Amino acid sequence: MTENGIASPPTGVGLEGLRAAAAGCRACELWEPATQTVFGEGPETARIVFVGEQPGDQEDRTGEPFVGPAGRLLDRALGDAGIDRRDAYVTNAVKHFRFTVKGKRRIHQTPGPEHMRACRPWLESEFAVLQPEVVVCLGATAAKTLISPSFRITQERGRLLPWTPPGLDPVDDEEDSPHQMWMLATTHPSAVLRVPDENRDPAYDELVKDLKVVAGALAR
């Protein structure tokens, strides 16, 4: 399952096979305090893949991604942007919850570069199976992982960028070439929830605005 601290997913097994294999992943130390691996969820026919940072407390307990308050806000934003939830697959760059304990609470901690490297092969395996039309990075951690370490959400959010997943050849102009895959980064729904009450509606509207760019790409 691991090679030098990097996950080594099986090939040719589909999403269910990947999910089953990821349940036993020990590529980094985050598996030990976490309740379980939280793999991606959605249909293999999904046209969009949403990539967040890592599962949160509720996701860690249920084993499902985006089931907490941020997930509910994302579902509402998708509806307001005109995106069918059935076209979406949701996952995280890191599949285990990283946290510190304070009293009875488990407090989120941002994954380190070593955790992103260890878990990245799972994400790449998901892309290989899904071959989506658009990949949406939710938040800075996912954007820095998939686009560039210097990427700034505040400056570059909402822009469609041509993107090729690792291991696939770039799309050329041949008629029989694979479809162009696009990348877009926006704020994570949890960041919208952390905005002060008086600024939350504008922050939510900006998220919906970015998602409408995705909807426009799907309609091309």
Side-chain angles (χ1 to χ4, degrees):
M1 289 296 299
T2 64
E3 294 179 6
N4 300 320
I6 305 294
S8 182
T11 58
V13 296
L15 290 178
E16 287 306 314
L18 289 172
R19 183 176 291 106
C25 185
R26 304 291 185 266
C28 73
E29 81 285 359
L30 295 184
W31 71 271
E32 195 164 5
T35 304
Q36 59 195 310
T37 303
V38 182
F39 203 70
E41 188 171 276
E44 288 198 12
T45 56
R47 302 174 67 193
I48 321 163
V49 173
F50 290 91
V51 183
E53 177 190 274
Q54 65 169 354
D57 181 78
Q58 291 189 37
E59 289 80 6
D60 173 73
R61 297 181 191 280
T62 64
E64 300 176 20
F66 288 89
V67 295
R72 291 191 291 272
L73 187 141
L74 177 61
D75 285 345
R76 179 159 66 92
L78 290 175
D80 288 345
I83 295 174
D84 190 333
R85 183 64 176 77
R86 293 171 296 182
D87 282 336
Y89 180 92
V90 292
T91 190
N92 285 294
V94 172
K95 312 300 190 194
H96 285 111
F97 180 33
R98 188 187 191 201
F99 60 91
T100 184
V101 177
K102 291 187 178 180
K104 295 183 178 180
R105 298 180 61 201
R106 301 191 302 173
I107 308 300
H108 162 277
Q109 283 191 306
T110 301
E114 70 277 16
H115 306 126
M116 310 299 287
R117 286 193 299 271
C119 216
R120 186 179 173 108
W122 293 115
L123 195 56
E124 294 175 355
S125 294
E126 289 172 290
F127 291 146
V129 172
L130 292 159
Q131 298 188 31
E133 295 173 45
V134 185
V135 175
V136 179
C137 295
L138 297 173
T141 299
K144 290 175 183 295
T145 299
L146 293 176
I147 301 176
S148 166
S150 62
F151 192 90
R152 297 292 181 267
I153 290 287
T154 54
Q155 299 174 10
E156 302 174 87
R157 63 180 293 175
R159 295 173 50 210
L160 279 175
L161 307 170
W163 186 70
T164 302
L168 295 181
D169 294 329
V171 173
D172 55 31
D173 294 328
E174 297 295 330
E175 291 185 1
D176 59 351
S177 65
H179 67 261
Q180 173 65 63
M181 194 177 299
W182 299 94
M183 172 75 73
L184 180 142
T186 187
T187 189
H188 196 288
S190 64
V192 176
L193 294 173
R194 291 194 298 270
V195 170
D197 291 347
E198 63 272 19
N199 297 324
R200 191 166 299 152
D201 285 347
Y204 175 79
D205 291 343
E206 285 297 308
L207 172 61
V208 172
K209 179 182 176 181
D210 291 343
L211 294 179
K212 285 182 176 179
V213 175
V214 176
L218 296 178
R220 291 179 180 180

